[in-house]
Amino acid sequence: MQFNELNLNKPILKAISESNYDGPTLVQERSIPLILNKKDIIVSAQTGTGKTAAYALPILQQLFHKQDASKKGKKIGALIISPTRELAIQIGESFQNYSKYTNLRTSVIYGGTSIEPQKDALRKGVDILIATPGRLLDLHKQDEVHLDYIETLVIDEADLMLDMGFIDDVSKIVRLCPEDKQSLLFSATMPHKVVMLANSILKDPERIEISPTSTVAKDVSQVLFYVPKPKKIELCLHLLRNTIKGNIIIFRRTKYGVDKLEKTLLKNKYKVASIHGDKSQNLRQEALKQFKNKEVNILIATDVAARGIDIIGLDSVVNFDLPNVPETYVHRIGRTGRAGKIGTSYSFCSADEKAYVGTIQKLINTQITIENNHPYPLDPKAKPQVHIKQGSKHRKGRKSEASKKNKKRWY
Ligand code: AMP
């Protein structure tokens, strides 16, 4: 997705293009349309996911028609509350940046610093106010801040807000804003008390979850190898000889692929077991037992067969085939790097899998390190192999009932 598909106007898009972002991050892609639709949302996303722009951009869009109100006539249309001064300042900088081609005015107020300049700024007229709770209530008491025209209220880092003891202040601020405002709540984690707060503020909210993926990916060192499809087995053997050690799980997409790789590794004297959906439960249990008891150190599996199975704390995960569903990548690599240990994931990408890399990187919000220094590099110009359907020798084409019954599961 591109930013220009998100219904943002030209001055905002111009500012974004100068920030040199490739495209919206996941939290932006999911939040912006909902916010523009006037929905309340509750988002679990950490700093680093692009969450500030996820609310800043639609807020600027929604207030854009007010940009030309005379300075004195300006009324605060959006209020962002932040638990810390540093975050408030950072949010203010983001708003300044994204609004630089509009006449919308942003102001930041926070404690621990002289109050007079903040009063001056408020008197000059503000469209968007970013504030820490204590100073905001202070200025409100002094009749310097008017919250009667708030259209959108954002509570950022809600979990930290509650940990810092701001619950009563936040509740007070919510009550000072109009009843029919839009409310957006962002939190890195979602403990019960945050959910309670959200329930008391948000109306029929949509829930967006981003953070678990980035947390999982954080403790895993991820490496990507571009390699021609027929050379993947050679690359795997090369890495097993030289680089990858310890307890390893190798993921393949199909059961056929699992069987083929298992045969090759056994021939090369590796200690291997495998699981996939066409193996009996007994054989799968036996394979898992061997792996857990360390009789073998390599397990080859399909995603479906490995789902829900307690195999964690691995040294390495090999994505022999890249998954087309990005969440699957996260689940796979999440099996390593637990309990403070840094694990490693090795991903093999052939020409036809290149598109998956982009969607995976977007989901995990991380660029995967590319390793070019290996014996089987992929020509960057290599095109995916196109399989031309030969058609059935039996021209009627339809499968018989008997052949349908024989159809085996591919996973
Ligand atoms: P945040 O999660 O809001 O703290 O943002 C983290 C960093 O991501 C900030 O430095 C932003 O400038 C940057 N950022 C925000 N949106 C994008 C995007 N779409 N692409 C790349 N970087 C971004």
Side-chain angles (χ1 to χ4, degrees):
M1 191 181 251
Q2 294 301 312
F3 277 108
N4 58 16
E5 294 169 63
L6 285 170
N7 284 327
L8 300 168
N9 62 30
K10 280 203 180 125
I12 300 173
L13 289 173
K14 187 169 178 210
I16 299 170
S17 76
E18 286 178 15
S19 302
N20 287 326
Y21 300 158
D22 284 341
T25 63
L26 193 69
V27 67
Q28 292 162 3
E29 213 174 283
R30 294 199 180 158
S31 310
I32 293 174
L34 291 172
I35 299 175
L36 289 176
N37 242 335
K38 284 278 168 202
K39 290 288 297 178
D40 282 8
I41 57 173
I42 169 167
V43 184
S44 51
Q46 293 179 325
T47 299
T49 54
K51 69 182 169 69
T52 313
Y55 60 78
L57 301 175
I59 284 177
L60 291 170
Q61 173 70 34
Q62 280 172 324
L63 296 181
F64 187 69
H65 65 284
K66 297 192 166 172
Q67 65 163 351
D68 291 325
S70 69
K71 277 189 189 166
K72 292 273 174 192
K74 280 192 183 292
K75 308 244 181 344
I76 302 168
L79 172 66
I80 293 92
I81 34 183
S82 147
T84 69
R85 297 164 191 169
E86 295 74 18
L87 180 65
I89 294 166
Q90 196 183 298
I91 298 169
E93 286 167 354
S94 295
F95 270 97
Q96 296 286 5
N97 180 29
Y98 302 133
S99 67
K100 65 180 164 205
Y101 297 112
T102 74
N103 291 327
L104 291 169
R105 292 171 63 91
T106 302
S107 203
V108 187
I109 57 175
Y110 48 89
T113 177
S114 166
I115 203 164
E116 289 307 321
Q118 297 181 356
K119 286 183 185 171
D120 288 345
L122 288 166
R123 285 176 199 154
K124 279 188 190 144
V126 169
D127 295 292
I128 297 142
L129 183 65
I130 298 128
T132 52
R135 179 59 62 98
L136 177 67
L137 288 171
D138 199 358
L139 283 160
H140 186 268
K141 221 194 273 166
Q142 298 183 36
D143 203 25
E144 298 285 350
V145 176
H146 303 278
L147 302 177
D148 321 272
Y149 294 92
I150 297 289
E151 292 176 25
T152 306
L153 170 70
V154 182
I155 300 167
D156 204 349
E157 302 276 348
D159 48 355
L160 189 56
M161 198 88 82
L162 299 191
D163 285 347
M164 289 172 75
F166 285 134
I167 179 77
D168 291 340
D169 286 356
V170 171
S171 303
K172 247 185 244 168
I173 294 164
V174 171
R175 284 198 302 274
L176 293 172
C177 297
E179 179 69 19
D180 62 354
K181 67 190 170 302
Q182 177 183 33
S183 305
L184 317 174
L185 185 141
F186 288 76
S187 193
T189 58
M190 280 295 158
H192 183 62
K193 54 188 182 175
V194 172
V195 177
M196 296 281 284
L197 175 73
N199 287 342
S200 70
I201 299 172
L202 307 178
K203 291 185 279 297
D204 189 22
E206 295 270 349
R207 217 189 144 124
I208 297 174
E209 254 177 82
I210 306 290
S211 51
T213 51
S214 6
T215 353
V216 164
K218 210 175 61 205
D219 295 322
V220 183
S221 141
Q222 303 168 61
V223 195
L224 180 65
F225 297 80
Y226 284 106
V227 55
K229 193 168 245 166
K231 293 287 176 199
K232 281 189 173 184
I233 287 199
E234 268 97 332
L235 177 62
C236 187
L237 288 169
H238 169 79
L239 291 174
L240 287 172
R241 270 194 301 272
N242 301 294
T243 315
I244 312 177
K245 304 279 176 246
N247 284 335
I248 308 157
I249 184 161
I250 305 180
F251 282 103
R252 293 220 58 177
R253 213 172 57 81
T254 64
K255 68 172 184 68
Y256 170 75
V258 169
D259 283 340
K260 195 171 155 202
L261 182 63
E262 182 175 29
K263 276 190 199 127
T264 311
L265 295 190
L266 286 172
K267 228 192 280 167
N268 283 273
K269 308 273 182 279
Y270 286 99
K271 292 185 178 154
V272 192
S274 76
I275 50 171
H276 59 63
D278 252 13
K279 285 198 161 184
S280 70
Q281 196 58 39
N282 274 351
L283 282 178
R284 283 154 71 171
Q285 291 306 120
E286 179 57 29
L288 285 174
K289 210 170 93 198
Q290 287 180 319
F291 188 61
K292 285 185 181 168
N293 294 344
K294 306 210 181 322
E295 292 161 55
V296 301
N297 70 321
I298 301 174
L299 183 71
I300 313 173
T302 57
D303 294 298
V304 182
R307 183 176 298 170
I309 291 171
D310 175 31
I311 328 167
I312 55 168
L314 299 164
D315 297 295
S316 305
V317 168
V318 178
N319 295 304
F320 195 102
D321 303 306
L322 275 185
N324 55 354
V325 178
E327 280 82 2
T328 303
Y329 176 87
V330 176
H331 291 148
R332 286 181 179 183
I333 71 165
R335 291 178 181 272
T336 174
R338 302 242 175 159
K341 271 174 60 179
I342 299 282
T344 310
S345 82
Y346 302 85
S347 301
F348 300 173
C349 177
S350 53
D352 57 327
E353 295 169 314
K354 277 184 180 170
Y356 305 152
V357 176
T359 54
I360 289 169
Q361 292 190 148
K362 195 165 213 178
L363 179 70
I364 61 174
N365 235 302
T366 309
Q367 293 287 321
I368 307 174
T369 309
I370 300 168
E371 178 56 85
N372 289 316
N373 189 14
H374 67 88
Y376 312 101
L378 178 71
D379 178 354
K381 290 194 214 99
K383 294 262 173 339
Q385 284 174 5
V386 182
H387 296 284
I388 299 162
K389 268 203 170 156
Q390 299 294 322
S392 166
K393 271 190 284 180
H394 312 286
R395 285 274 156 199
K396 276 186 199 145
R398 293 232 173 240
K399 284 190 175 146
S400 69
E401 284 308 312
S403 99
K404 274 188 210 161
K405 269 188 202 142
N406 279 336
K407 190 170 187 306
K408 289 201 172 132
R409 284 179 288 178
W410 56 271
Y411 50 85

